[in-house]
Amino acid sequence: ALEKALAAEELETHIFSLNTIIKIYRKKKELRQALIYLKKAHSLSPDSAKTMRLLYKVYSELGFENKAKEINRKLISPRGH
């Protein structure tokens, strides 16, 4: 149980960091750079809905509609399908 709690806390810290990265790159008008970090986070935690929501948001904001739809399908589909 402790390991799960620590993993959840660590994920929350990473989500906070990703949000900060997105804000910085958005302000600099270089939002595409945030994708590097988001894609890496997604590859490390492919089932993280929070990471996928951030990725969806950035893809949508950048106009990458096909990528956004792909992530959205993963968010709404049952796991393993």
Side-chain angles (χ1 to χ4, degrees), residues 29-63:
K29 300 189 184 329
E30 297 175 4
L31 193 54
R32 283 181 186 234
Q33 293 298 315
L35 283 176
I36 296 167
Y37 298 96
L38 286 168
K39 287 178 180 180
K40 181 65 175 179
H42 181 61
S43 73
L44 294 173
S45 298
D47 294 328
S48 168
K50 290 181 179 186
T51 302
M52 283 191 274
R53 281 193 289 274
L54 289 174
L55 199 50
Y56 171 81
K57 184 177 178 180
V58 171
Y59 277 142
S60 295
E61 195 171 329
L62 290 171

